[in-house]
Amino acid sequence: QKMGELPLDINIQEPRWDQSTFLGRARHFFTVTDPRNLLLSGAQLEASRNIVQNYRAGVVTPGLTEDQLWRAKYVYDSAFHPDTGEKVVLIGRMSAQVPMNMTITGCMLTFYRQTPTVVFWQWVNQSFNAVVNYSNRSGDAPITVGQLGTAYVSATTGAVATALGLKSLTKHLPPLVGRFVPFAAVAAANCINIPLMRQRELQVGIPVTDEEGRRLGQSVAAAKQGIFQVVISRICMAIPAMAIPPVIMDTLEKKDFLKRRPWLGAPLQVGLVGFCLVFATPLCCALFPQRSSLHVSRLEPELRAQIREQNPSIEVVYYNKGL
């Protein structure tokens, strides 16, 4: 190793910031979901991939600083699948979450009055979710096209049915209540979509490990907890973007400024949603640690017995909750 060269012991397999604290997780996800990563060219993505792969192979790019190495790692992670190494389709990347959700949510909240537009935007939203869920699937439990299709159709049907059912119920209620129908539909769809997309994990379980990362077995209890956490964080992610703009828009639409300029309604709504999502997306991804833990006493009886027999000192197991 030459003078001034980066040491080879920086662990770029893990995030840069301490993931046991909320602040560390938030900083990590602000970097992961940064929409500016979408503007990077193919050449810039390839350059980052080369820096990361060379570093992992023990070759340091001359003149590379630690900040540049971390930047390359996050650019690489933003565009390539962690298990397969394939480049993820543009709209399936974590950095596309804010601009895509901002457009779709803004339109859902703007066009919530007519049935055809309700159906259309709920369908667009679930199609986008299917792309994201497929792009960010876990390599350990690959999802089949059949499972993907089932989850997609079920979530779309669930979202549309919830939206139309609630829309008919709110006819006699104040207009502001009607504006919250899209949120209820999205929340219902998340409760259907995520468990269905990850049904294989609910059937066979997900790997659980000890503190050092040694695999102890497969647990359905861990899968259930992980999926529950993801559903909660996805619903929380939608709350600010789908609850704050309707209240603001309801107030603004009563004022002369918007009455005289009705065309401003949609862009204003989309902008408000985008502002909320820039913060809500990383902060809600950070609600639960990516590497979550579960007490051994809450595992399935067979797995619990097996762990107690082989490693009686282990009280807590760890697993990857997914995104």
Side-chain angles (χ1 to χ4, degrees):
Q1 185 184 324
K2 293 194 228 37
M3 268 295 291
E5 236 186 42
L6 265 189
L8 282 168
D9 58 358
I10 299 169
N11 184 4
I12 54 169
Q13 298 296 94
E14 295 294 322
R16 183 170 193 177
W17 298 280
D18 177 8
Q19 296 298 286
S20 65
T21 68
F22 177 74
L23 193 65
R25 297 195 294 273
R27 290 183 73 176
H28 167 68
F29 281 110
F30 266 107
T31 315
V32 169
T33 60
D34 186 342
R36 290 173 302 181
N37 286 340
L38 292 177
L39 305 173
L40 298 171
S41 66
Q44 285 169 302
L45 295 178
E46 278 306 317
S48 292
R49 172 153 79 169
N50 288 337
I51 288 173
V52 170
Q53 290 183 336
N54 286 345
Y55 187 83
R56 283 179 183 160
V59 180
V60 178
T61 312
L64 188 72
T65 66
E66 186 173 349
D67 280 341
Q68 287 169 332
L69 174 66
W70 282 111
R71 170 82 187 127
K73 173 216 158 34
Y74 274 104
V75 166
Y76 172 75
D77 288 352
S78 79
F80 296 94
H81 191 278
D83 298 316
T84 63
E86 293 164 12
K87 192 184 283 188
V88 174
V89 57
L90 195 69
I91 64 166
R93 296 177 195 169
M94 286 307 282
S95 42
Q97 282 282 316
V98 172
M100 289 298 297
N101 277 327
M102 160 178 146
T103 311
I104 295 169
T105 307
C107 290
M108 275 202 259
L109 293 175
T110 306
F111 309 112
Y112 68 95
R113 291 187 178 99
Q114 272 78 39
T115 300
T117 51
V118 168
V119 174
F120 175 75
W121 285 107
Q122 291 291 347
W123 168 74
V124 169
N125 188 41
Q126 292 313 319
S127 304
F128 170 62
N129 280 346
V131 172
V132 170
N133 289 336
Y134 181 72
S135 305
N136 297 289
R137 66 200 182 280
S138 162
D140 223 331
I143 187 160
T144 66
V145 178
Q147 288 170 333
L148 189 70
T150 310
Y152 172 58
V153 172
S154 312
T156 308
T157 313
V160 170
T162 308
L164 297 181
L166 288 173
K167 185 170 165 287
S168 62
L169 289 176
T170 55
K171 275 182 187 150
H172 314 295
L173 293 168
L176 182 60
V177 179
R179 289 177 178 271
F180 288 99
V181 168
F183 168 66
V186 167
N190 272 332
C191 295
I192 301 167
N193 189 341
I194 296 164
L196 275 170
M197 289 295 289
R198 295 174 61 176
Q199 58 187 310
R200 188 165 179 270
E201 297 173 32
L202 292 169
Q203 289 155 3
V204 300
I206 55 174
V208 293
T209 66
D210 63 11
E211 186 135 27
E212 270 68 59
R214 286 185 289 266
R215 199 162 169 157
L216 301 168
Q218 300 268 114
S219 166
V220 172
K224 284 180 185 166
Q225 181 174 297
I227 290 169
F228 176 72
Q229 289 177 344
V230 170
V231 170
I232 295 296
S233 57
R234 292 277 184 98
I235 291 174
C236 289
M237 212 180 282
I239 291 173
M242 301 190 86
I244 298 168
V247 177
I248 297 173
M249 292 304 294
D250 199 58
T251 313
L252 289 178
E253 281 178 11
K254 292 170 184 156
K255 303 261 190 290
D256 284 346
F257 180 76
L258 266 189
K259 280 182 181 162
R260 286 204 298 272
R261 304 171 183 78
W263 54 270
L264 258 179
L268 195 60
Q269 181 114 274
V270 171
L272 281 169
V273 168
F275 180 75
C276 292
L277 281 171
V278 164
F279 298 98
T281 303
L283 292 176
C284 292
C285 279
L287 283 177
F288 303 101
Q290 190 66 38
R291 184 175 181 239
S292 282
S293 57
L294 189 65
H295 205 273
V296 172
S297 61
R298 292 179 54 198
L299 294 171
E300 298 86 326
E302 313 83 64
L303 180 60
R304 187 169 61 222
Q306 183 191 318
I307 293 172
R308 289 260 154 89
E309 191 183 320
Q310 291 167 354
N311 313 14
S313 61
I314 292 181
E315 290 296 324
V316 176
V317 294
Y318 298 88
Y319 62 90
N320 176 8
K321 75 167 171 63
L323 271 178

